[in-house]
Amino acid sequence: MKRTHTGWSAEEDKLLLDAVRSAKNAHTSLQAAFETVADVTERRPNSVRNRYYAELRDAKKSEPLFQPFTDSESDALIRAVLLARAGGRSVRACTLELAGGDTRRMLRYQNKYRAMLKNCPDRIREIREILAKEGHETPDPYTPDPHLPRVGRPPKTPIPATAIRRLLDALYDDLLALSRGEVS
């Protein structure tokens, strides 16, 4: 069974950089180095490759690859999203605005919000109560909005088999007519 990975340890980063250095010195492919590290760390080779290139890209920047949210930053994010949702805006629109249009930061904010919803429902409830005391009613993020379309989800009620059969029969008839040149 593969283990679940949540981040890279300093030892794994060192192993990766050593493997890449060895591959370059031996004039072998980086892919071989990625596969070697993947075997040792029980990660996928693509994940190892992504980590390597992310490190290269971020080495050019002065900020570290991963910056955890502080509690106050998490709370401020939750507040902002809940208030935006109360105003009818989507999570994506709100986080994009908070990120100043930077889609990478927007995804980071959106992922944090979703993780907080999943893992910290008590904290979400506390922030909603604080907002209510301040006079801001916010929608419950755990209750689906009946006015929003159910994009990507199956319908609430299954489609009857007879309706599906009628649709398929009608499509079949149309295809036959089209093949005979009866329909233009």
Side-chain angles (χ1 to χ4, degrees):
M1 177 204 282
K2 284 232 182 245
R3 66 181 198 154
T4 303
H5 299 278
T6 57
W8 281 73
S9 68
E11 295 83 23
E12 289 174 320
D13 280 337
K14 183 179 180 331
L15 175 68
L16 173 58
L17 295 176
D18 289 346
V20 167
R21 195 174 300 114
S22 296
K24 286 182 179 180
N25 290 339
H27 301 289
T28 58
S29 71
L30 286 177
Q31 185 61 35
F34 299 153
E35 289 171 1
T36 301
V37 173
D39 287 341
V40 173
T41 61
E42 297 181 337
R43 293 177 183 270
R44 293 191 174 102
N46 286 350
S47 296
V48 175
R49 181 202 63 219
N50 291 345
R51 175 63 176 192
Y52 174 70
Y53 286 112
E55 282 293 315
L56 278 183
R57 183 180 60 243
D58 290 341
K60 297 174 186 171
K61 299 176 186 176
S62 60
E63 67 183 55
L65 181 62
F66 178 73
Q67 295 175 329
F69 284 84
T70 65
D71 288 342
S72 62
E73 288 173 330
S74 297
D75 291 352
L77 173 66
I78 298 301
R79 271 183 72 90
V81 173
L82 289 174
L83 289 170
R85 296 290 296 133
R89 296 188 39 231
S90 69
V91 173
R92 175 163 285 209
C94 173
T95 54
L96 185 59
E97 182 180 315
L98 289 171
D102 181 345
T103 54
R104 186 174 176 201
R105 282 180 48 212
M106 179 271 295
L107 285 172
R108 181 174 180 255
Y109 294 158
Q110 185 174 298
N111 289 342
K112 180 61 177 181
Y113 174 73
R114 301 276 187 224
M116 293 280 294
L117 281 180
K118 180 181 177 186
N119 301 317
C120 306
D122 293 338
R123 188 65 195 137
I124 302 293
R125 214 171 354 271
E126 289 172 21
I127 294 171
R128 286 189 69 225
E129 287 172 6
I130 292 168
L131 287 170
K133 288 177 185 173
E134 294 173 359
H136 304 287
E137 288 301 318
T138 58
D140 183 356
Y142 299 103
T143 304
D145 186 343
H147 303 292
L148 293 176
R150 297 177 51 85
V151 177
R153 298 180 189 160
K156 287 183 178 180
T157 56
I159 299 171
T162 55
I164 294 172
R165 185 71 206 169
R166 282 194 310 268
L167 175 65
L168 291 174
D169 288 343
L171 286 172
Y172 181 75
D173 292 343
D174 288 346
L175 286 172
L176 282 177
L178 186 63
S179 70
R180 291 187 213 123
E182 298 170 2
V183 179
S184 57

